[in-house]
Amino acid sequence: MTGLALPRTWPNSAPAPERRTAWLRDALAAEPDDGKSPPLDGDVRCDVCVVGGGYTGLWTALEIIRRAPGTDIVLIDADICGGGASGANAGFLMPMWARFRSLVAIGDHEEARRLGEASERAVDEILSFVDEHGIDAEYRRGPWLWTASNRAQLGAWEDTLDELARAGIEPLRQVSADEARRMVGTESHHGGVVDPGCATVQPAKLTRGMRRVALESGIRIHERTPLTGLRTGRRTEAVTPRGTISADRVVLAINAWAGQLEDIGRRMVTIASDTVLTTPIPDRLAERGWTDGTSVCDSRRRLNYYRTTPDGRLVFGKGGSGVGYGNTGPDTMWGKPLRPAEMRRQFLRIFPDLADVPIAGAWTAPVEYAVTGVPFAGWLRSVPNVCYGTGYSGDGVGPSKLMAKVLASLVLGTRDEWSSSGFARTPGGGLPPEPFRYAGSRVVLPALRGVEEREDRGAFVPAAVKRLVSIDPSAFRR
């Protein structure tokens, strides 16, 4: 029997308090302890073993059950469902039109249009699922604004609009500086484009609701059950500390931790994203005219992102606060924000009148960015019958529904538009190996921060510095 031993840095089953984001604490407080997903204790058999209790793992399990009722599925998670990125993200539920250039790059204009339209439908599918199953995901439909938060960012969307025009579609609407400012009541917007087909959700409540539906569908879930190894034989065995799972197929839905497998890490880079959540300030938001579900990202390489909640809290995040080193990357990116002072400066630059607003929660979490900018799936070479999906590049809430279709087709052996899509291919090429990649990031990130600070002030940026930061392989771009 051969197999794959997983790195010691694989996520363990002892969740630290700082791993509980404000989102997840709220979700767990509203949920009774049903005792239906205990740690695995003993050896079990199943048709499919899913590793990972976030969006990708849960959607994949549910998609397999939908297509093949009666399939015996066991899902395990090292922590609890929603304990990873699915309980830590900002809750932007949106199509992939802003990544249309990346979609064209992995296929052609026809395939990119098909995937973009599918991602648009995925927003509706997720919200319909929430309504059908009575999940309190606190969702609101509302436009997403891709804006310029300084003048240097103006026109960042032009190449994307050109590609969309070549495909004969116009899902994004260009807006003036005045309209962009009015949308959230800030003078720091200088124009942008709007995608009207978006929504926001409470990400952890969505994940915990999906867990409930999965249990009701007959999927066996074992939380606090880390995967420690994979063994091959007549069937594939997923090894855990207190038992094994013998399965025909295994799905690894582990996002940032997929970079620790084989050479997948050469196809993506793991970075930290810092987020804060304020206390409710509905009156202050109403004064600035921000009473709807509008969500915003700016156009800097290490983007700022912000939106509100139904009870009037403001969510503000800052990408690219740090880069992980090798296999330890994801595990060093949990807890308190890595660059809180920088995040506060950006918060006050956009919302200077909200300096006195108390913060209810703040955290950092890892985000895996693919070299293509879009997710990808494939099969492990070292262990037969094991597939994976990863590389969401900061936009996983909606696309995880599409990747579930890809992974379900792979697991069930279905030859269709999903198993043959651009998402079902591991990217070619790759990033430099460690330690060169980390060493490079230690040079590029400070330079990138310097460029952004100068652009915010309207100051001149030397051409040599621009060339230096241009070597970043779109890891921090939308």
Side-chain angles (χ1 to χ4, degrees):
M1 178 176 290
T2 61
L4 177 68
L6 299 177
R8 292 181 180 179
T9 56
W10 202 260
N12 60 50
S13 58
E18 60 268 21
R19 288 282 294 269
R20 297 291 181 256
T21 65
W23 295 135
L24 190 54
R25 289 196 302 270
D26 287 350
L28 294 175
E31 173 188 303
D33 184 2
D34 56 23
K36 293 181 178 179
S37 51
L40 179 67
D41 189 2
D43 300 332
V44 299
R45 295 172 62 90
C46 63
D47 299 320
V48 179
C49 173
V50 177
V51 181
Y55 297 140
T56 301
L58 288 164
W59 283 131
T60 299
L62 290 165
E63 179 70 11
I64 293 171
I65 286 289
R66 185 189 70 82
R67 295 193 200 179
T71 302
D72 186 13
I73 300 175
V74 172
L75 183 149
I76 62 174
D77 193 278
D79 186 10
I80 63 173
C81 294
S86 296
N89 66 86
F92 286 43
L93 174 55
M94 48 196 286
M96 300 185 72
W97 295 123
R99 295 192 183 274
F100 193 73
R101 293 173 63 203
S102 296
L103 294 177
V104 172
I106 64 170
D108 54 28
H109 282 88
E110 182 179 354
E111 172 72 351
R113 178 171 179 168
R114 184 185 74 81
L115 292 174
E117 291 171 344
S119 72
E120 195 169 68
R121 291 192 298 271
V123 173
D124 294 331
E125 291 172 3
I126 291 171
L127 297 183
S128 294
F129 178 91
V130 167
D131 288 338
E132 178 185 353
H133 295 283
I135 299 172
D136 180 22
E138 301 179 7
Y139 80 76
R140 289 190 299 174
R141 289 185 179 272
W144 171 70
L145 171 66
W146 178 5
T147 192
S149 67
N150 62 42
R151 295 190 181 280
Q153 296 170 20
L154 275 170
W157 44 82
E158 292 296 341
D159 288 343
T160 298
L161 295 180
D162 289 344
E163 289 287 2
L164 288 165
R166 291 189 187 99
I169 48 178
E170 297 181 355
L172 305 179
R173 176 177 64 89
Q174 197 151 2
V175 297
S176 66
D178 285 343
E179 184 174 353
R181 288 166 182 156
R182 287 196 303 270
M183 290 179 75
V184 301
T186 179
E187 292 300 310
S188 294
H189 289 175
H190 301 274
V193 294
V194 168
D195 185 337
C198 301
T200 58
V201 299
Q202 207 282 32
K205 286 189 175 181
L206 173 58
T207 315
R208 298 302 294 179
M210 292 168 63
R211 168 191 173 273
R212 170 176 61 80
V213 176
L215 287 167
E216 293 170 351
S217 301
I219 296 166
R220 292 182 279 167
I221 297 178
H222 294 285
E223 296 178 304
R224 298 182 177 87
T225 302
L227 179 70
T228 59
L230 294 165
R231 293 200 295 248
T232 63
R234 299 183 66 179
R235 307 181 91 228
T236 301
E237 288 188 354
V239 183
T240 76
R242 297 172 60 182
T244 62
I245 305 162
S246 177
D248 294 326
R249 296 285 190 274
V250 176
V251 178
L252 298 179
I254 51 180
N255 293 345
W257 283 275
Q260 302 176 19
L261 299 171
E262 296 183 343
D263 59 353
I264 297 174
R266 296 286 304 277
R267 274 65 178 176
M268 63 189 205
V269 61
T270 303
I271 71 167
S273 186
D274 292 341
T275 305
V276 295
L277 179 67
T278 72
T279 57
I281 51 169
D283 293 341
R284 304 279 293 274
L285 295 174
E287 290 172 1
R288 63 194 321 119
W290 195 2
T291 58
D292 64 0
T294 296
S295 55
V296 185
C297 293
D298 72 3
S299 304
R300 67 189 60 235
R301 302 283 285 276
R302 302 178 311 122
L303 77 164
N304 296 324
Y305 50 91
Y306 32 103
R307 57 99 164 182
T308 62
T309 65
D311 64 349
R313 293 183 288 178
L314 177 58
V315 183
F316 188 94
K318 180 85 178 95
S321 57
V323 176
Y325 179 84
N327 288 340
T328 65
D331 298 288
T332 62
M333 297 179 179
W334 289 102
K336 297 178 180 179
L338 298 183
R339 300 186 65 83
E342 181 183 26
M343 182 164 56
R344 180 167 175 78
R345 283 197 301 272
Q346 289 298 322
F347 180 96
L348 295 179
R349 193 177 68 83
I350 305 295
F351 306 110
D353 57 314
L354 299 181
D356 61 324
V357 174
I359 300 300
W363 61 90
T364 196
V367 182
E368 82 284 8
Y369 279 75
V371 293
T372 57
V374 292
F376 60 92
W379 294 96
L380 290 187
R381 298 187 309 274
S382 55
V383 185
N385 303 316
V386 178
C387 61
Y388 62 87
T390 188
Y392 289 103
S393 303
D395 290 331
V397 184
S400 62
K401 191 74 166 63
L402 302 186
M403 287 299 286
K405 298 179 181 184
V406 173
L407 293 167
S409 291
L410 294 178
V411 166
L412 297 173
T414 306
R415 300 177 66 86
D416 60 10
E417 71 274 20
W418 297 110
S419 60
S420 62
S421 74
F423 291 158
R425 295 190 292 271
T426 302
L431 298 169
E434 299 291 14
F436 304 106
R437 177 169 49 179
Y438 183 72
S441 74
R442 300 282 291 181
V443 174
V444 173
L445 274 180
L448 192 51
R449 285 195 292 269
V451 167
E452 292 174 354
E453 289 170 2
R454 284 174 172 269
E455 289 178 344
D456 286 341
R457 300 196 311 268
F460 172 73
V461 179
V465 177
K466 288 184 177 180
R467 285 195 297 272
L468 174 63
V469 300
S470 71
I471 68 173
D472 176 12
S474 74
F476 310 107
R477 266 184 290 181
R478 173 154 296 283

